[in-house]
């Protein structure tokens, strides 16, 4: 009888334990389901704006976005691409609104600084400095132009330089060699002109093209400290005679007939076609364009930097160029996710794909090398590394109002309707106005 009672008590205890355990499991499962539903409902959408809408470029970005989303299933990237010139206007408008992209393209220099000054950009210094792998993977020359007052506000995506590309067949035909001096360069132009060949193809429909020439001339003709003071919107005066001389050098190339006719109605792409067709001996292009040149003229081209100018007071061993990259809006609702996406955009994995698929130079250390990049890109990167400094694109390194005055003046200069002195008078007036407006 006693055995039966004890057995009954054991059975009851087991049943009670089962009920309690079952209730506990049900509660845990319910909590897990609730968390899952909560996490599933927390999908983050990031708006991403860049400036490469061309099909071959979009294919790369679509792949990068897909890979990121696969690794971060709770993040959705809404991508928009606007071409080089229109994106300048778009950014000026959208960054002053409440509908800012979370991650957006920006040139370095003043173009980026103006967003920083008005508080539109997220300070990512702590995130960058606290991640040693990220911090040690980016060239300092790429980071510095996105660093202001010791704080990091953007990441370089590409690093670029400007070079003259030339047709080796034409150079061999007329016994021409890479110029070592400015006079050598002028002699090459004169020889090609006399042979009935346009020496230099220039498409200045959008005046950034001529502005890249002026960037180089300003740098070579004006002392570095003077130029940096003038490019600062708070202190710019532009009174050094080198600025007028820089415009005179550009005008000289036009007046001597070394550019093709109708430069202001010719696009940069059309200038490329003139060069590929053998109708022009040289073209001034960016390092990122080398892949396009190779595709159209495989083995029939080479490059050189603009030669030193004897009377120039600037460092003759600088190169024109700059990194461009991405910044994060200070208004983003998802700063951590935006930082994760930015890190992925400039990761070595993504950078190596960029080099392989598009042939673009990357500031990620080790992304461009002999094993994964064509010879011309490796050589171009070496030229960048050997330069003693970089002159950032003029139209993105000065205040926007100064840039607009310069750009309009350059087209008038090449039309023959305005003199270098008149243009610089207007630039000085604009700089004075800017000084009174900038805090």
């Amino acid at each position: 009888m006693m055995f039966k009672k004890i057995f009954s008590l054991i059975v009851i205890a087991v049943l009670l334990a089962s009920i309690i355990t079952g209730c506990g499991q049900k509660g845990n499962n319910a909590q897990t389901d609730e968390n899952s539903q909560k996490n599933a409902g927390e999908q983050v959408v990031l708006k991403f704006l860049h400036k490469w809408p061309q099909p071959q470029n979009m294919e790369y970005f679509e792949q990068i976005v897909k890979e990121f989303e696969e690794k971060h299933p709770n993040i959705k990237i809404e991508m928009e691409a606007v071409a080089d010139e229109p994106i300048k206007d778009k950014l000026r408008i959208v960054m002053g609104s409440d509908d800012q992209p979370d991650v957006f393209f920006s040139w370095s220099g003043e173009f980026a600084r103006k967003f920083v000054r008005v508080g539109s950009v997220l300070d990512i210094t702590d995130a960058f400095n606290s991640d040693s792998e990220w911090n040690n993977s980016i060239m300092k020359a790429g980071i510095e132009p996105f660093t202001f007052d010791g704080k990091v506000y953007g990441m370089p995506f590409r690093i670029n330089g400007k070079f003259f590309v030339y047709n080796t067949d034409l150079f061999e035909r007329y016994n021409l060699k890479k110029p070592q001096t400015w006079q050598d360069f002028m002699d090459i132009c004169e020889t090609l002109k006399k042979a009935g060949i346009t020496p230099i193809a220039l498409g200045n429909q959008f005046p950034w093209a001529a502005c890249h020439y002026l960037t180089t001339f300003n740098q070579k003709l004006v002392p570095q400290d003077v130029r940096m003071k003038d490019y600062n919107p708070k202190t710019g005066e532009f009174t050094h005679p080198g600025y007028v001389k820089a415009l005179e050098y550009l005008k000289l190339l036009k007046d001597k007939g070394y550019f093709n006719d109708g430069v202001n109605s010719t696009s940069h792409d059309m200038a490329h076609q003139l060069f590929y067709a053998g109708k022009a001996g040289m073209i001034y292009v960016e390092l990122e364009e080398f892949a396009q040149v190779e595709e159209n003229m495989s083995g029939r081209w080479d490059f050189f930097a603009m030669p030193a100018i004897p009377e120039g007071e600037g460092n003759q061993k600088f190169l024109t160029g700059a990194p461009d990259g991405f910044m994060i809006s200070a208004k983003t609702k998802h700063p951590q996710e935006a930082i994760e996406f930015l890190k992925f955009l400039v990761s070595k994995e993504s950078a190596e794909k960029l080099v392989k698929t598009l042939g673009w130079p990357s500031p990620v250390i080790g992304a461009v090398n002999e094993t994964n990049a064509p010879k011309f890109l490796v050589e171009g990167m070496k030229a960048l590394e050997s330069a003693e400094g970089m002159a950032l694109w003029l139209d993105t390194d000065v205040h926007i109002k100064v840039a607009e005055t310069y750009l309009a003046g350059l087209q008038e200069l090449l039309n023959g309707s305005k003199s270098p002195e008149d243009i610089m008078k207007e630039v000085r007036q604009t700089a004075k106005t800017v000084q009174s407006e900038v805090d």
Side-chain angles (χ1 to χ4, degrees):
M1 190 71 176
M2 181 63 68
F3 174 76
K4 290 182 177 179
K5 288 182 178 180
I6 293 172
F7 180 77
S8 297
L9 289 172
I10 292 172
V11 170
I12 291 170
V14 171
L15 289 172
L16 286 172
S18 299
I19 292 170
I20 292 171
T21 302
C23 291
Q25 288 177 340
K26 182 178 180 180
N28 290 338
N29 288 338
Q31 185 67 39
T32 300
D33 291 343
E34 182 180 341
N35 288 337
S36 298
Q37 291 173 359
K38 183 179 179 181
N39 291 335
E42 287 183 345
Q43 186 170 48
V44 168
V45 176
L46 295 177
K47 293 182 179 179
F48 172 45
L49 175 65
H50 67 80
K51 75 172 191 81
W52 296 284
Q54 299 83 1
Q56 70 274 21
N57 299 335
M58 283 300 293
E59 186 176 347
Y60 167 79
F61 283 100
E62 287 166 358
Q63 181 62 34
I64 291 298
V65 166
K66 179 182 178 182
E67 291 175 5
F68 178 79
E69 289 178 340
E70 287 174 351
K71 294 181 178 181
H72 303 81
N74 65 312
I75 304 177
K76 173 69 175 176
I77 305 296
E78 288 186 354
M79 179 168 56
E80 180 182 5
V82 179
D84 188 279
E85 196 66 23
I87 199 171
K88 296 175 183 177
D89 293 329
K90 183 175 181 66
L91 282 171
R92 288 171 194 139
I93 295 171
V94 75
M95 293 307 293
S97 72
D98 292 327
D99 191 30
Q100 298 179 3
D102 297 277
V103 180
F104 62 95
F105 169 86
S106 178
W107 286 274
S108 54
E110 173 60 21
F111 193 92
R113 280 194 297 270
K114 68 177 180 292
F115 295 133
V116 174
R117 280 199 300 270
V118 297
S120 294
V121 184
L122 187 70
D123 177 358
I124 61 172
T125 309
D126 290 342
F128 182 63
N129 289 340
S130 63
D131 188 331
S132 59
E133 183 179 351
W134 185 17
N135 186 285
N136 293 327
S137 68
I138 310 292
M139 295 177 185
K140 298 304 180 186
I143 289 292
E144 287 174 0
F146 284 102
T147 303
F148 312 110
D149 296 328
K151 297 180 179 180
V152 180
Y153 289 95
M155 279 294 112
F157 178 69
R158 304 178 306 171
I159 191 163
N160 219 341
K162 199 80 176 185
F163 300 93
F164 278 103
V165 165
Y166 66 92
N167 183 320
T168 53
D169 289 344
L170 290 178
F171 269 50
E172 288 175 8
R173 185 183 306 169
Y174 298 105
N175 297 315
L176 302 173
K177 297 180 180 179
K178 286 186 183 184
Q180 301 300 311
T181 66
W182 181 256
Q183 188 58 53
D184 288 346
F185 178 67
M186 296 298 284
D187 290 343
I188 289 170
C189 290
E190 190 63 26
T191 298
L192 291 172
K193 178 187 174 185
K194 289 180 178 178
I197 298 165
T198 297
I200 308 168
L202 172 62
N204 197 50
Q205 186 176 41
F206 294 114
W208 62 260
C211 194
H212 285 188
Y213 278 87
L214 195 63
T215 300
T216 308
F217 289 141
N218 276 359
Q219 184 278 313
K220 290 186 178 299
L221 289 159
V222 180
Q224 177 73 4
D225 59 337
V226 175
R227 192 168 58 86
M228 290 298 92
K229 177 178 175 290
D230 289 329
Y231 284 14
N232 184 332
K234 295 181 180 180
T235 57
E237 295 179 343
F238 294 89
T239 56
H240 191 278
Y243 293 113
V244 172
K245 288 182 180 179
L247 289 163
E248 288 175 346
Y249 269 82
L250 181 61
K251 183 174 184 295
L252 179 67
L253 294 176
K254 171 65 168 58
D255 290 349
K256 281 185 168 292
Y258 294 161
F259 293 138
N260 48 280
D261 293 333
V263 293
N264 287 336
S265 59
T266 302
S267 70
H268 186 59
D269 286 341
M270 291 169 63
H272 268 274
Q273 295 306 316
L274 287 173
F275 177 69
Y276 299 150
K279 296 180 180 180
M282 297 176 286
I283 184 171
Y284 201 35
V285 299
E286 298 169 31
L287 180 56
E288 69 174 58
E289 297 175 275
F290 279 17
Q292 180 183 345
V293 176
E294 173 64 13
E295 182 179 347
N296 285 273
M297 296 185 63
S298 180
R300 297 186 296 112
W301 65 282
D302 202 346
F303 70 96
F304 60 88
M306 185 178 285
I309 296 178
E311 63 177 318
E313 296 183 39
N315 188 325
Q316 302 302 307
K317 294 183 179 180
F318 269 43
L319 276 177
T320 289
D324 51 33
F326 295 103
M327 307 176 87
I328 297 175
S329 168
K331 292 185 178 181
T332 182
K333 296 178 181 178
H334 311 288
Q336 294 305 316
E337 290 84 356
I339 287 173
E340 280 300 310
F341 182 52
L342 182 60
K343 287 170 66 174
F344 189 77
L345 283 172
V346 299
S347 67
K348 189 172 183 181
E349 175 186 359
S350 298
E352 287 178 338
K353 287 187 175 69
L354 180 74
V355 174
K356 290 178 182 177
T357 58
L358 297 181
W360 290 359
S362 169
V364 176
I365 296 171
V368 179
N369 56 69
E370 286 81 359
T371 64
N372 76 338
K375 180 181 178 182
F376 58 80
L377 186 56
V378 174
E379 291 179 351
M381 287 298 293
K382 287 180 179 177
L384 286 180
E385 292 168 5
S386 65
E388 294 186 2
M390 300 289 286
L392 307 185
W393 317 121
L394 173 63
D395 55 334
T396 63
D397 203 26
V398 297
H399 190 277
I400 179 59
K401 291 186 177 180
V402 175
E404 288 174 345
T405 301
Y406 254 128
L407 292 171
L410 284 171
Q411 288 201 316
E412 292 179 287
L413 179 79
L414 294 173
N415 276 338
S417 58
K418 189 165 287 186
S419 71
E421 292 81 4
D422 288 340
I423 293 170
M424 286 316 302
K425 181 179 179 180
E426 292 178 356
V427 169
R428 287 192 290 271
Q429 290 173 342
T430 303
K432 187 175 181 179
T433 301
V434 167
Q435 279 192 40
S436 65
E437 297 175 349
V438 177
D439 296 329

